[in-house]
Amino acid sequence: MSSFISSYAGKTVVAVGAHPDDVEIGMGGTVARLSEVGANVVMVIVAVPDRLDERLSESAAAASLLGAKLVALEPERCIRVEDLRMHELVRRLDAVMRAHAPAALFTHSSDETHYDHVLVHRGVLSATRLLRSDVYFYAPSACRPAIRSWQPRVWIDVSSTVDRKMSAIAAHHSQFGRRGICIDHFCEDMRLRGLPVGMAYAEGFDVHCARDA
């Protein structure tokens, strides 16, 4: 959907993930395509649970590969999403939304099996109450292949940016390479996602609200 990508050219797009690597896995190819058309893409990390400096450094490298700006809600300390009370999470997300006024907002789906991802989903929805922004949810993620019933309503062709996405995921060496976790299935997920819609590689999104949807 080139029209989807081009509709955000020159505009700000915010993508929120619970942890480092979540946005890259969920929509790294789309982030790269948006940045190519001149969108100002802001990747937001809610919480870094361990190895703060290393994981933020990996995240900065990944964001650079995708052409995005990195923002961490808690850049000074290790913290879990569950350590933030919902009103505090929403307050911090409110500040991000006011600062960037995004034309489009992306975050986790409510169908996630990770409870902390669901908390971020709920917090982001609360932070949209005063904004006029398109809101999309990327596919549930797992570091290993998993059976999921979730289905998208929007498909984005990421055939031209699949390599950048995989490089961005690989930049999180502490999460994958060091732990011996193969990342090839993320590429296979994109291939399988694209098959029904005639795309070599695709990322899918559910639509919460979109002015042109």
Side-chain angles (χ1 to χ4, degrees):
M1 292 184 65
S2 59
S3 60
F4 179 98
I5 296 297
S6 61
S7 69
Y8 297 111
K11 299 178 182 178
T12 296
V13 173
V14 170
V16 182
H19 311 105
D21 77 28
D22 284 335
V23 171
E24 292 88 322
I25 292 169
M27 56 174 296
T30 300
V31 169
R33 285 206 58 196
L34 287 165
S35 68
E36 285 178 347
V37 300
N40 173 36
V41 185
V42 181
M43 293 170 53
V44 178
I45 299 170
V46 171
V48 182
D50 56 13
R51 302 187 307 278
L52 182 68
D53 290 343
E54 180 179 29
R55 296 196 68 184
L56 286 179
S57 177
E58 291 172 343
S59 295
S64 178
L65 286 167
L66 299 176
K69 174 184 177 182
L70 183 70
V71 171
L73 295 190
E74 288 280 354
E76 303 297 333
R77 59 172 178 160
C78 287
I79 190 171
R80 301 177 305 165
V81 174
E82 298 93 327
D83 295 329
L84 291 168
R85 294 186 177 185
M86 183 55 69
H87 71 84
E88 179 66 11
L89 173 59
V90 173
R91 184 182 68 81
R92 294 178 186 225
L93 289 169
D94 279 346
V96 171
M97 302 312 159
R98 285 195 298 269
H100 297 285
L105 179 61
F106 295 80
T107 194
H108 296 284
S109 164
S110 62
D111 294 328
E112 286 273 7
T113 56
H114 297 286
Y115 179 61
D116 44 8
H117 292 190
V118 176
L119 291 176
V120 171
H121 167 86
R122 293 175 179 172
V124 169
L125 283 185
S126 293
T128 65
R129 67 198 182 280
L130 301 179
L131 293 174
R132 294 191 62 189
S133 176
D134 300 338
V135 182
Y136 305 94
F137 307 133
Y138 46 80
S141 62
C143 64
R144 292 179 173 86
I147 296 173
R148 297 188 294 263
S149 60
W150 184 90
Q151 290 295 324
R153 289 194 284 163
V154 172
W155 288 261
I156 303 301
D157 190 338
V158 296
S159 304
S160 64
T161 55
V162 61
D163 290 339
R164 289 174 66 187
K165 170 173 177 168
M166 295 304 295
S167 294
I169 295 173
H172 294 275
H173 178 71
S174 66
Q175 290 302 102
F176 300 106
R178 185 183 300 164
R179 298 164 66 191
I181 298 175
C182 182
I183 64 173
D184 291 349
H185 74 278
F186 294 125
C187 191
E188 181 66 3
D189 285 347
M190 289 183 283
R191 187 186 72 80
L192 293 175
R193 187 74 72 195
L195 278 177
V197 289
M199 299 174 183
Y201 295 94
E203 290 175 339
F205 301 91
D206 197 2
V207 181
H208 178 66
C209 63
R211 285 161 290 184
D212 297 326

